[in-house]
Amino acid sequence: MSIHAAKWLDILLDLRRKPVGIKFLLTEADYAQSLAKAPQNGMPYCTAVKWAGQGRSYKMDAAHCSCFAASRALGMADVTEDAVSGSRHAKLGVYENLGVSRAVARDMIYCAHKCAGVEIMPLEQYTTSKPDIVILVTTPYNAMRITQAYAYHHGQMKEIKMAGMCAICQECTSYPHERNMPNISMLCSGTRCVAQWSRDELGIGIPHHYLELVINGLRQTVNPMEFNQDKERIAQRLAEAGQTDTMEIVLSQNYYTGAYGTPEQIARRNRKA
């Protein structure tokens, strides 16, 4: 399923980076059995996600994670009092006062489990197991398409949570995992610094078991939602993958075709039709 899903995401979305799978390694035995390598000199979790989007694979425990906020969010380290109280970010001037900082801290959703570590690999490399979360760091246009695909089956995404803080670890990983729903993140200053994302990228975290319906939603909404140039790109990718017969691409047909104009202009068009 993961290889199949990665191929279809590549066909349907104009991706710069590979989708990344995150698997929680709950026990020391799980961690030892993972064939991925731990970063020798440590690495921030979000940087490992960035490199996985370029084809690398890692496993990471608290000893190899060079961002304590990520270790805390993922369940590899205990939540400290200064994080619970909001005092740390209040002192740093991230929020106006302790009350606001405490409110943000209270709404942070960390993994309730304790885990030995996490596995961070390109989605396509999960051939014998399934990841728990899939992360895409991509453009706003692709985020729109994923939102439309989700809405096709489930309706609106009603509980998006973001503060531009702990973006990859909390907004894209622990929150989707704990709440069992996709989430969108504008990323945070920390991850934009250490992982060097482009300014036009944002993050999406999706529980893996949603992925099949998201892909189906993408397929079902190509004709009503996509522009001609994107339909042509998708048709080309279908041909390259030998999947041309699996979808019918209809150009110049969208849900908004003929919808724009003053009442008089629309009436005139309707009379001509």
Side-chain angles (χ1 to χ4, degrees):
M1 169 60 190
S2 294
I3 298 176
H4 175 80
K7 287 180 178 178
W8 272 104
L9 289 172
D10 189 52
I11 289 170
L12 295 164
L13 300 174
D14 190 13
L15 296 175
R16 302 175 192 167
R17 307 180 188 275
K18 295 176 182 291
V20 176
I22 307 298
K23 185 175 180 63
F24 293 106
L25 305 173
L26 297 177
T27 68
E28 294 295 342
D30 294 334
Y31 190 82
Q33 288 169 9
S34 171
L35 298 179
K37 302 295 184 183
Q40 186 173 0
N41 297 314
M43 183 183 293
Y45 168 72
C46 57
T47 303
V49 171
K50 183 252 184 90
W51 286 120
Q54 297 182 26
R56 302 186 191 180
S57 299
Y58 296 98
K59 64 179 176 182
M60 181 177 289
D61 57 11
H64 292 91
C65 181
S66 58
C67 175
F68 185 76
S71 293
R72 180 175 61 210
L74 300 173
M76 299 188 299
D78 293 333
V79 180
T80 56
E81 181 57 34
D82 63 342
V84 173
S85 67
S87 61
R88 181 173 182 273
H89 284 148
K91 291 174 182 177
L92 291 171
V94 175
Y95 304 109
E96 182 181 10
N97 52 50
L98 181 61
V100 175
S101 189
R102 167 59 185 145
V104 173
R106 185 178 59 247
D107 286 339
M108 287 286 185
I109 305 298
Y110 302 134
C111 288
H113 62 229
K114 299 299 180 186
C115 70
V118 290
E119 189 175 62
I120 308 153
M121 303 199 305
L123 178 62
E124 64 195 21
Q125 291 187 17
Y126 282 90
T127 57
T128 59
S129 65
K130 297 178 182 178
D132 299 300
I133 299 294
V134 176
I135 296 176
L136 294 97
V137 177
T138 189
T139 62
Y141 186 88
N142 283 335
M144 175 195 74
R145 289 294 295 124
I146 291 170
T147 302
Q148 291 167 338
Y150 175 88
Y152 181 82
H153 288 289
H154 304 287
Q156 293 197 29
M157 296 175 67
K158 298 177 182 178
E159 296 187 54
I160 293 173
K161 182 186 287 287
M162 65 176 78
M165 181 64 67
C166 298
I168 297 295
C169 58
Q170 194 263 153
E171 292 179 349
C172 291
T173 308
S174 62
Y175 179 73
H177 183 65
E178 287 294 314
R179 290 296 185 260
N180 187 34
M181 62 181 64
N183 196 41
I184 297 175
S185 171
M186 300 296 113
L187 303 183
C188 62
S189 298
T191 191
R192 288 190 182 277
C193 174
V194 298
Q196 293 290 293
W197 308 109
S198 297
R199 284 178 174 261
D200 64 346
E201 290 181 300
L202 49 74
I204 307 170
I206 306 171
H208 180 265
H209 62 86
Y210 277 91
L211 205 53
E212 186 173 357
L213 284 180
V214 167
I215 290 169
N216 181 264
L218 286 169
R219 293 180 62 175
Q220 297 298 328
T221 57
V222 164
N223 287 323
M225 299 294 192
E226 294 279 20
F227 302 110
N228 277 354
Q229 65 188 46
D230 295 292
K231 290 178 180 180
E232 289 168 352
R233 171 185 52 79
I234 292 167
Q236 180 179 345
R237 298 308 301 272
L238 285 167
E240 293 169 351
Q243 297 288 335
T244 300
D245 294 340
T246 64
M247 285 183 63
E248 180 184 8
I249 305 296
V250 182
L251 298 178
S252 302
Q253 177 181 305
N254 306 86
Y255 77 92
Y256 51 80
T257 301
Y260 294 104
T262 65
E264 181 181 348
Q265 291 167 339
I266 293 173
R268 192 183 306 129
R269 284 201 301 265
N270 290 338
R271 286 195 296 270
K272 289 181 180 179

